[in-house]
Amino acid sequence: MGRDCCSSGAQELHVLAVDDSHVDRKVIEKLLKISCCKVTAVESGRRALQYLGLDGDKSSVGFDELKVNLIMTDYSMPGMTGYELLKEIKGSSRLRGIPVVIMSSENMLARIDRCMEEGAEEFLVKPVKLSDVKRLTNFILRGDEANQMGSSKRKLWDDPCSWFTTSCL
Amino acid sequence: MERNLHKQLGNMKKSLFDQGYLDEQFIQLEELQDEANPNFVEEVVTLYYRDSARLIQNIEQTLENNPLDFAKLDNYMHQFKGSSCSIGAKKLKNECTQFREHCKTGNGDGCKRTFQQLKKEYAALKKKLEHYFQVP
């Protein structure tokens, strides 16, 4: 299995993973590390907001240093749900550009629709697979490249074949 | 000697799958294991048993209440089901689903019955996995 990542100096994504389950945090962390991502894993929506500097208190890390490229959050969490976290992030002018992916063990259409309407990039049904994470991170990376080239962002997953072509524009 | 151990491991794993204890998710976890993290699956499973022990205790206590708080029970079971799913514990996952069905219909006896079965499966899987991880 190709574990040789970051060898060509490719950009390393920083992913913030949010899940109240210790087991799931450990697994998602591993999936992301294998996919060449830097991972920060937290156990609640509150903690996530703290980390992102959105809860009023100044975060201990300077904003530039903690640049987060992707947020993956569980839906069902005590206190603040993933959906509520999504709304907070999309409601922030500073953070709304960060893609948010919702993970849930329940495959409920109403739930999925609600999250997508609120601006979620994707809704993944648990247990999350390595193929899901790889597809996601590849998409984010290519989205970043496209942005740097000055082109507009596209939803590549509408056309899975385009993931494998280099001429995506 | 090495080949016999591999065979032993292979047989154990096969029986765990054939008997429906584990599903595809367990294989997914094993595929994440590498030289940097050779005991990853064992670590995840250990974490699972540690966390779920607490949940089991909570459910046990909540089942002693009268009247039963089905919402609370369902919530605990949702968490337990989630973790069980994450390690590929197929039988347990199914017991959890059944328990939650009983919660929905307010069937206290059903909950208690299913929970007893669940505890048995939980203990049985724990033993089998301990055995599985002992093989070097």
Side-chain angles (χ1 to χ4, degrees), chain A residues 1 3 20-24 26-28 30-31 34 74 76-78 104-106 111 126-131, chain B residues 24-25 28-29 31-34 36-37 40 43-44 47-51 78-79 81-83 85-87 100:
Chain A
M1 228 200 201
R3 300 288 166 84
D20 62 309
S21 159
H22 205 166
V23 169
D24 287 356
K26 189 172 172 80
V27 175
I28 196 76
K30 185 69 174 163
L31 291 174
I34 286 181
D74 185 30
S76 309
M77 297 187 291
S104 174
S105 50
E106 322 253 17
R111 182 178 284 192
K126 282 177 158 184
V128 175
K129 295 186 166 54
L130 185 58
S131 53
Chain B
E24 169 66 23
Q25 176 60 13
Q28 292 274 327
L29 290 184
E31 286 181 355
L32 301 182
Q33 217 154 245
D34 55 21
N37 242 155
F40 176 69
E43 285 167 20
V44 176
L47 199 56
Y48 166 75
Y49 274 102
R50 201 188 69 188
D51 280 3
H78 169 79
Q79 292 175 58
K81 184 183 172 188
S83 309
C85 203
S86 296
I87 67 157
R100 295 187 77 195

Side-chain angles (χ1 to χ4, degrees), chain A residues 94-147:
Chain A
R94 180 165 60 88
L95 300 171
R96 71 164 63 108
I98 304 177
V100 181
V101 168
I102 309 283
M103 304 177 285
S104 174
S105 50
E106 322 253 17
N107 194 3
M108 290 162 56
L109 200 56
R111 182 178 284 192
I112 298 171
D113 283 346
R114 197 148 46 112
C115 291
M116 299 310 283
E117 266 165 38
E118 203 57 45
E121 282 306 305
E122 194 162 346
F123 188 100
L124 295 175
V125 178
K126 282 177 158 184
V128 175
K129 295 186 166 54
L130 185 58
S131 53
D132 292 326
V133 174
K134 284 198 159 152
R135 177 169 50 81
L136 200 53
T137 52
N138 282 339
F139 168 70
I140 304 286
L141 273 171
R142 293 182 75 192
D144 272 1
E145 275 170 34
N147 284 337

